[in-house]
Amino acid sequence: MSHEPTAPGGLGDPAVRAATVPTERRREVPEPGAVTIVVPTYNESGNIRELLRRITESVPARLPCEVVFVDDSTDDTPDVISREAQDCPFPVTVLHRDEPADGLGGAVVEGMKAAGSDWIVVMDGDLQHPPSLVPELVGTGERTNAGLVVASRYTKGGSRAGLAGGYRIAVSRGATWLTKSLFPRRLRGVSDPMSGFFAIRRSAVTAEILQPLGYKILLELAVRSRPRTVTEVPFVFQDRFAGESKSTAREGLRFLRHLAGLRTASPLARMVAFGLIGATGFVPNLVGLWTLTGLGMHYLPAEILANQLGVAWNFLLIEQLLFRERRRHRHWWDRVGRFALLANADLVLRIPLIALLVGTFAMGVLSATALALAMTFVLRFVGTEALVYLPRRGRRTHRAAGGSRTARRTM
C-alpha cells in the first residue's frame, strides 16, 4: 500500500478540478454526499486513464469521493490503475481477485463491502457509463431521499445508442422484458433492470445476502434487497472507449441461471419448479425405455434402467437451477447418492400406497394413482431439500469471497 502526493496545478489539483466543473453542476449535489465509485474490471487497461480523467473532471471538488476497482484481470490492468491513480485527487483502491467468484457481480459485492461512503455508485470501466452522470445520480438520491437511483436507457431522455448491432439490441430488450415479466412487483418503477450503472445508499443494502451470478448485479439488488424508494435518471449508453465487449453466450447462460435462482428463491416457487423439472424427466425416461426394449430387454429391468436416466436428468437441472447456492454443503457424490436414493424410493413407495388407497379406502385406481403421485412428489421435494441440500448440523459454511485478493491504495 503506497501513498503518494498529487502534483499541484496538475490533473489532480482540486482547484483545477473544481474549475472544470460548471457552477450549476457543483450546486447540484446537496451535502452530505460522500460517494464510493465501484468499478469492476476485467482486462480494461486501455480504458483506465480516460476513465480516471473523466471522473476527475466530473465529480465536484466538494463531493468527497473514492474509487474502488475490483479487478479480475489477466493482463496489466492493476498496474495501469496504480500508475494512473497517482494523478488523482481522491483515493483509488485496487482489489485484485486471484480467484474470481460469481463474475462481475461478485466483484461489485466485494467493492460494496470495501466502500466507506454514504453513497455507492456502480459503473463499468469501459466508459459506456458516462462518469459525468455521477453527481446527478447522487444529487437525485439526496433530493428525493431515495435509496436506489438507476441510470436508465429506457426512460425519457435515455438512449441505448452505444449498443452495437441489432443483435445486441434485441438481446437487451428481450432480457429486459423477461426480467420485468418474472418480477413485476419487485421491478415496478425500474424501466432498465439490466442497467449496470446506478447509485445506492450503503445503508440500503446488505452485501452478505446477495448471491450474484454474472454481471447483472442491479437485478440481484432489486429482487433480494430492494430499497423502499427507487428513482431513475436518463442516460445515453456510450460507445466502448477501448477493448472488447465481455458479453458472450456463456454470460447469457449464466444470466438465465441467475434468473431461475432468483425466481425460485421461495419454497413454494421451488416446489413448483421442482415439479416442472420432474415432468421433463419423463422424456429421457421414455426415450431410454423405448431404446432398451427395442434392443430386446425385458420391460421390467428396462424400466428400472430408464428411470435412472430421468433421475440423472432431474438431478442435473435442479443442481443448476434450484440449489446452486446449496451445493457447497455436501460433496457431489454425497448429493448424487442421496438424490438417487430418494428418487428411486418414489417407485418403491408408490405401488403399496396405491394398493392401500384402493383396498382400504375404496378409491378408484386412477384417483388413487394421482393421489399417490402427488403425495410422493411432495415427500420427494421435502426430502430433497432436507436430506440433500440442507447444511449439515454443526458444520460451518462460508460463501466464497472471491478467493485470495490483494489490495493496493494510491492517491
Side-chain angles (χ1 to χ4, degrees):
M1 185 180 296
S2 61
H3 301 267
E4 296 189 19
T6 349
L11 178 62
D13 192 333
V16 173
R17 181 165 65 119
T20 63
V21 182
T23 303
E24 59 272 17
R25 174 64 62 82
R26 295 201 299 272
R27 284 200 296 263
E28 200 168 76
V29 184
E31 300 284 2
V35 60
T36 297
I37 301 176
V38 174
V39 186
T41 51
Y42 177 73
N43 296 349
E44 298 286 3
S45 58
N47 293 307
I48 299 304
R49 179 178 177 80
E50 182 66 14
L51 175 63
L52 290 175
R53 184 186 73 79
R54 294 190 192 180
I55 292 175
T56 301
E57 290 182 349
S58 301
V59 179
R62 70 179 179 82
L63 176 61
C65 173
E66 66 173 345
V67 179
V68 176
F69 288 94
V70 186
D71 183 70
D72 296 341
S73 299
T74 56
D75 65 0
D76 62 343
T77 296
D79 297 325
V80 172
I81 295 171
S82 297
R83 183 175 68 248
E84 299 298 338
Q86 304 305 317
D87 291 328
C88 291
F90 42 75
V92 177
T93 301
V94 186
L95 302 176
H96 179 72
R97 305 195 302 171
D98 296 321
E99 299 176 10
D102 301 324
L104 292 179
V108 171
V109 173
E110 287 290 303
M112 287 180 168
K113 292 177 180 178
S117 305
D118 301 332
W119 282 95
I120 301 170
V121 172
V122 176
M123 63 186 303
D124 290 347
D126 56 11
L127 292 162
Q128 292 188 302
H129 298 157
S132 60
L133 202 62
V134 169
E136 186 176 348
L137 288 169
V138 177
T140 299
E142 292 284 355
R143 284 194 302 272
T144 61
N145 199 30
L148 173 65
V149 185
V150 179
S152 173
R153 296 163 292 180
Y154 302 124
T155 194
K156 185 178 180 181
S159 170
R160 57 176 184 266
L163 279 176
Y167 171 76
R168 285 196 63 193
I169 291 175
V171 169
S172 176
R173 292 295 287 180
T176 299
W177 174 85
L178 179 60
T179 53
K180 288 181 71 66
S181 299
L182 289 174
F183 306 100
R185 186 170 59 87
R186 287 286 184 175
L187 297 179
R188 185 181 296 117
V190 180
S191 63
D192 193 359
M194 298 293 97
S195 177
F197 192 17
F198 58 89
I200 190 167
R201 291 183 189 269
R202 190 173 58 161
S203 59
V205 61
T206 303
E208 286 71 22
I209 71 170
L210 300 177
Q211 301 172 16
L213 178 64
Y215 56 98
K216 297 305 179 184
I217 185 64
L218 175 60
L219 177 63
E220 176 77 15
L221 281 166
V223 173
R224 293 198 194 275
S225 61
R226 171 172 171 156
R228 288 186 177 181
T229 306
V230 180
T231 190
E232 294 185 326
V233 298
F235 92 104
V236 177
F237 194 68
Q238 306 290 311
D239 292 325
R240 167 177 274 274
F241 183 77
E244 298 180 353
S245 172
K246 307 305 186 295
S247 296
T248 62
R250 183 179 180 183
E251 285 296 332
L253 291 175
R254 294 177 78 180
F255 166 68
L256 293 176
R257 285 170 52 200
H258 189 202
L259 272 184
L262 287 172
R263 185 62 277 178
T264 57
S266 70
L268 179 59
R270 273 199 307 276
M271 188 166 70
V272 172
F274 189 87
L276 293 174
I277 289 173
T280 67
F282 283 113
V283 175
N285 192 325
L286 292 176
V287 169
L289 182 62
W290 178 80
T291 302
L292 292 172
T293 55
L295 293 174
M297 183 178 290
H298 189 272
Y299 75 91
L300 286 178
E303 174 59 43
I304 294 173
L305 292 176
N307 187 64
Q308 307 316 306
L309 292 176
V311 169
W313 171 268
N314 291 342
F315 177 76
L316 291 174
L317 286 184
I318 69 166
E319 283 264 302
Q320 295 299 318
L321 300 179
L322 292 185
F323 297 108
R324 180 176 63 89
E325 290 303 316
R326 300 193 195 179
R327 292 182 301 185
R328 65 187 185 278
H329 298 317
R330 296 183 184 276
H331 294 293
W332 70 268
W333 50 264
D334 191 6
R335 300 195 307 273
V336 169
R338 287 168 177 264
F339 184 82
L341 183 62
L342 285 169
N344 284 287
D346 178 60
L347 288 175
V348 177
L349 286 173
R350 201 184 310 153
I351 293 174
L353 182 57
I354 292 171
L356 176 67
L357 293 173
V358 172
T360 304
F361 296 98
M363 292 183 66
V365 174
L366 290 180
S367 55
T369 301
L371 181 57
L373 283 170
M375 293 173 65
T376 55
F377 161 73
V378 173
L379 289 173
R380 185 146 48 96
F381 171 73
V382 173
T384 299
E385 283 223 322
L387 300 178
V388 181
Y389 293 101
L390 197 68
R392 281 177 278 191
R393 183 175 300 177
R395 180 181 178 182
R396 296 181 62 190
T397 57
H398 300 273
R399 180 173 175 80
S404 60
R405 70 180 189 182
T406 55
R408 285 178 276 178
R409 172 164 288 194
T410 58
M411 292 186 68

